[in-house]
Amino acid sequence: MKKGNKYGTHRVIEPKGILPQPAIKVDNDMEIYDNEILIDVQTLNIDSASFTQIYNQAEKDLEKTKEIIMGIVDERGKHQNPVTGSGGMLIGTVKEIGPALEGKTELKVGDKIATLVSLSLTPLRIDEIKEIRADIDQVDINGEAILFESGIYAVIPDDLPENLVLSVLDVAGAPAQTAKIAKSGQTVCVIGGPGKAGMLCLYEAKRRVGPTGKVICINYDDTRFKEIKEMNIADYCIEADATDAVGTLEKIEEITNGELCDVVINCVNVENTEMASILITKDDGLVYFFSMATSFTKAALGAEGVGKDVNMMIGNGYTKGHGDITIEIMRESEPMRKLYEDLFA
């Protein structure tokens, strides 16, 4: 059996010498190396920005959507949207474990897992697309995938529906990072608050800022404002178009008496929301761009252009314990779990 690199560089076809995520093409031959895990894939959870782009490109036609997804994987050996650069994650069953991983993993053949690394670096083969659930960005397939030695995962718990677990783990980095950056007494704003990542961020922000802090939810319309207020995970719900930076700023100035926000978390799946995020943040405040639709060129040069001294954080989808934090939210909050089951499972 061939020996593999911990980070999967042995799978890179083009260009040579780089890691699998930025690679244009990876080897998706499913004969494993000694340090890989072979997964029989059940469902892909395409990240929101990527699925939205593909679905719109296909003019919301499911057959065309299938063709685009198959085409990406055929061309790249992985599901990495060439427009957004992003992927998603998957759920499946462990089929084979390389001998070099003996004693290094608690996994065994037959375990059902969700990968917590992006599809944009995961060697994937799709034999058939069985169903697309466009409302929750999920694609059921027959196929296989490779998890590298460095790849992280979560074993699917028995007490929650599988599709729910897949949906929330796909965005687990957002609430876990929120738990780290939101502090007592702060004003925290979540742009795209009613979305899958957004409501988890609202929940964690509300818990962290405490009774002396404020949590603001922004969305382009009032979708799920009623449920958010009933769950008491936001103090204010505001209708604002985040692509209209000045209009959004005016609304935030009004409810904060001009003080703006200590932390702004951007969870939207559309472009051109960078400047709204920056303008509504206090000087020395923090903007967390979880959105994969973010242009960091626009954010960096835009902040400079309006003279805003803010800290900007890239939406790293991983932080220690992020899967556990997100699963615990589903267990702690029955209203949240029920809503997510209705919407995303």
Side-chain angles (χ1 to χ4, degrees):
M1 185 176 285
K2 294 178 287 187
K3 292 186 176 181
N5 173 270
K6 176 179 180 179
Y7 299 108
T9 55
H10 56 279
R11 288 274 180 177
V12 174
I13 294 175
E14 182 188 353
K16 291 289 188 182
I18 65 173
L19 290 163
Q21 200 283 329
I24 295 172
K25 187 174 181 63
V26 300
D27 175 10
N28 65 348
D29 185 321
M30 291 297 141
E31 181 180 346
I32 67 169
Y33 285 66
D34 70 331
N35 64 340
E36 295 179 334
I37 295 171
L38 178 64
I39 302 168
D40 187 11
V41 181
Q42 174 182 319
T43 303
L44 307 176
N45 197 101
I46 309 298
D47 89 87
S48 182
S50 175
F51 188 87
T52 298
Q53 187 278 321
I54 291 169
Y55 196 47
N56 287 338
Q57 180 184 335
E59 299 176 332
K60 301 186 177 179
D61 179 278
L62 291 180
E63 290 304 315
K64 290 181 182 177
T65 302
K66 287 182 182 181
E67 290 174 9
I68 294 171
I69 291 171
M70 292 288 285
I72 291 171
V73 175
D74 287 345
E75 181 178 344
R76 298 198 167 211
K78 56 181 179 173
H79 191 275
Q80 182 181 39
N81 185 319
V83 177
T84 65
S86 54
M89 56 178 290
L90 63 83
I91 190 172
T93 303
V94 175
K95 190 172 182 179
E96 188 179 355
I97 301 173
L101 296 180
E102 185 176 347
K104 294 183 179 181
T105 179
E106 296 178 355
L107 282 180
K108 58 186 183 299
V109 172
D111 282 346
K112 185 160 283 189
I113 64 171
T115 59
L116 300 180
V117 291
S118 176
L119 293 176
S120 65
L121 62 84
T122 302
L124 173 68
R125 190 192 74 232
I126 299 177
D127 298 320
E128 176 192 13
I129 293 180
K130 298 192 292 185
E131 182 184 0
I132 295 179
R133 294 185 292 282
D135 55 333
I136 56 174
D137 307 336
Q138 289 187 359
V139 182
D140 291 339
I141 72 164
N142 286 325
E144 294 178 332
I146 296 291
L147 186 66
F148 299 131
E149 181 180 345
S150 59
I152 53 178
Y153 59 86
V155 177
I156 303 298
D158 295 330
D159 60 328
L160 295 170
E162 290 177 2
N163 283 343
L164 172 66
V165 172
L166 181 59
S167 289
V168 297
L169 287 179
D170 184 42
V171 294
Q177 294 286 7
T178 300
K180 290 169 65 174
I181 62 181
K183 309 297 182 186
S184 177
Q186 288 184 329
T187 297
V188 177
C189 178
V190 180
I191 300 176
K196 181 167 59 174
M199 286 190 289
L200 293 168
C201 292
L202 290 172
Y203 184 94
E204 276 300 325
K206 186 64 175 171
R207 174 155 58 182
R208 304 293 168 169
V209 303
T212 59
K214 296 185 183 69
V215 176
I216 302 167
C217 169
I218 288 180
N219 199 49
Y220 67 92
D221 62 16
D222 65 355
T223 297
R224 290 191 278 280
F225 280 5
K226 177 176 179 289
E227 291 86 347
I228 286 168
K229 291 172 183 175
E230 288 173 348
M231 290 187 291
N232 193 31
I233 56 175
D235 298 287
Y236 302 96
C237 290
I238 299 172
E239 288 186 58
D241 179 357
T243 63
D244 176 4
V246 174
T248 302
L249 172 63
E250 290 171 350
K251 292 186 177 183
I252 292 296
E253 284 179 327
E254 183 178 348
I255 66 168
T256 63
N257 295 316
E259 294 184 3
L260 306 181
C261 305
D262 298 286
V263 175
V264 173
I265 301 165
N266 185 320
C267 295
V268 300
N269 59 8
V270 296
E271 297 179 341
N272 298 317
T273 62
E274 295 86 359
M275 289 312 300
S277 306
I278 290 164
L279 286 181
I280 67 175
T281 305
K282 296 178 180 178
D283 278 347
D284 295 323
L286 174 67
V287 184
Y288 174 45
F289 287 110
F290 184 73
S291 168
M292 290 296 103
T294 301
S295 162
F296 296 102
T297 301
K298 291 178 182 177
L301 297 181
E304 175 188 294
V306 295
K308 290 287 290 193
D309 183 8
V310 298
N311 300 299
M312 291 183 282
M313 180 176 170
I314 294 173
N316 185 352
Y318 171 68
T319 188
K320 289 181 180 178
H322 68 321
D324 294 337
I325 288 172
T326 305
I327 291 299
E328 279 308 307
I329 294 175
M330 293 294 105
R331 290 177 174 143
E332 287 173 3
S333 174
E334 184 176 347
M336 181 80 83
R337 183 177 68 250
K338 187 178 185 307
L339 181 60
Y340 272 65
E341 286 177 354
D342 292 342
L343 294 172
F344 305 121

